[in-house]
Amino acid sequence: MSGGLDGTAPGEEFDDRGARPFDPGLQPERTALAWRRTALALVVAAVVGIRVLPTLLGDWAMIPAGAGLVLAVIVLLASHRRYREHHVRLTTSTSDRIALPDGALPALVAATTLAAGIACAVVVVVLALGV
Amino acid sequence: MTDSDRRFPRSVYRHGDEPDARFSLANERTFLAWIRTSLALLAGGVALETLGLGLQPDLRLAASVLLIVTGILTPIQAWLGWTRSERALRMNRPLPAAHLALPLGIVVIVVGVLVLLGIVLA
């Protein structure tokens, strides 16, 4: 991948399509940033879970809390790869019917968030009952 | 769509044709916004109960439970909304309505009123 932004003089045409954004509205980049702030929010939630759940529920609760942190980091890394995949497919395709990555990562994020919600419900029930 | 297209979920990708990529990206961002909304609701619900904040306990618990129940429903809305919108884009049909948007607004208002009463009656 030579001829990137650094090697291109002002006004000169990009000789490499991969060095140019797909869309002047920077849609893939905005989507990548949305993924990143969501993944970081999940990381923070998991870290709070590691602090709160074991003291409230017992040592076993470290297992779901730790699994949450592992999942959150996986989402962070996978979303970075997803952006690269978006960029490569969108800038190299000659068709206007471009197949993008599928819904597996969104499904994982929705499931992780749902699990976090159930953990929060358990926390509030335990606190309310004063166990 | 080709027969070799094995993308998940099949309920989306077996229909229609590839939409404008920018629409799919916007749909993804909407999904992620719902996820962050869920995390914010859950954080509020847990914070109310753990911090206490000197509110009247029953009202505080009601607000907390309402926030967490809504925070559990929003990732479901996020996923179903994403799949329905992506399918609609592929089939060139009108986008589905966000059915949880109005109830969510009402929940936030009710939680605000509960917290306010919790402060006044404390």
Side-chain angles (χ1 to χ4, degrees):
Chain A
M1 287 286 199
S2 61
L5 285 166
D6 299 333
T8 311
E12 189 180 326
E13 279 296 311
F14 289 106
D15 57 356
D16 176 5
R17 295 195 66 202
R20 185 179 57 182
F22 154 70
D23 165 38
L26 299 179
Q27 294 256 359
E29 288 71 24
R30 281 155 55 196
T31 308
L33 290 170
W35 272 104
R36 188 167 301 176
R37 55 183 181 267
T38 306
L40 290 174
L42 281 172
V43 168
V44 170
V47 169
V48 172
I50 284 174
R51 276 297 295 276
V52 169
L53 289 179
T55 50
L56 203 63
L57 306 176
D59 287 342
W60 66 269
M62 192 57 106
I63 296 167
L69 183 59
V70 170
L71 278 173
V73 172
I74 288 173
V75 169
L76 188 60
L77 297 175
S79 64
H80 181 69
R81 284 189 47 167
R82 189 179 178 89
Y83 166 67
R84 295 183 70 91
E85 191 65 33
H86 278 148
H87 176 74
V88 168
R89 289 194 197 179
L90 292 171
T91 52
T92 56
S93 175
T94 49
S95 158
D96 61 346
R97 297 279 184 191
I98 305 162
L100 292 178
D102 71 2
L105 189 59
L108 177 68
V109 169
T112 304
T113 309
L114 190 60
I118 290 164
C120 290
V122 170
V123 165
V124 166
V125 167
V126 168
L127 285 172
L129 295 178
V131 179
Chain B
M1 193 190 84
T2 61
D3 291 335
S4 63
D5 190 345
R6 304 307 308 167
R7 284 180 294 167
F8 174 85
R10 300 297 306 140
S11 61
V12 168
Y13 291 104
R14 72 161 174 265
H15 298 287
D17 219 332
E18 297 306 327
D20 186 326
R22 288 168 298 182
F23 297 165
S24 287
L25 292 169
N27 188 27
E28 211 165 286
R29 292 197 297 277
T30 306
F31 165 82
L32 292 168
W34 274 109
I35 293 294
R36 292 192 301 275
T37 302
S38 166
L39 292 172
L41 292 166
L42 294 173
V46 171
L48 270 182
E49 271 307 294
T50 47
L51 301 180
L53 304 172
L55 303 183
Q56 202 278 333
D58 293 334
L59 292 170
R60 189 188 69 202
L61 180 61
S64 177
V65 167
L66 198 51
L67 283 170
I68 285 175
V69 168
T70 315
I72 288 173
L73 292 177
T74 35
I76 298 168
Q77 156 70 31
W79 173 251
L80 294 179
W82 181 84
T83 55
R84 286 181 188 144
S85 296
E86 197 66 19
R87 189 161 50 227
L89 288 173
R90 296 180 68 83
M91 299 173 80
N92 210 13
R93 288 199 182 152
L95 290 175
H99 292 293
L100 210 58
L102 179 61
L104 176 64
I106 293 170
V107 162
V108 173
I109 292 170
V110 171
V111 166
V113 170
L114 286 172
V115 170
L116 186 65
L117 288 175
I119 293 169
V120 172
L121 300 178

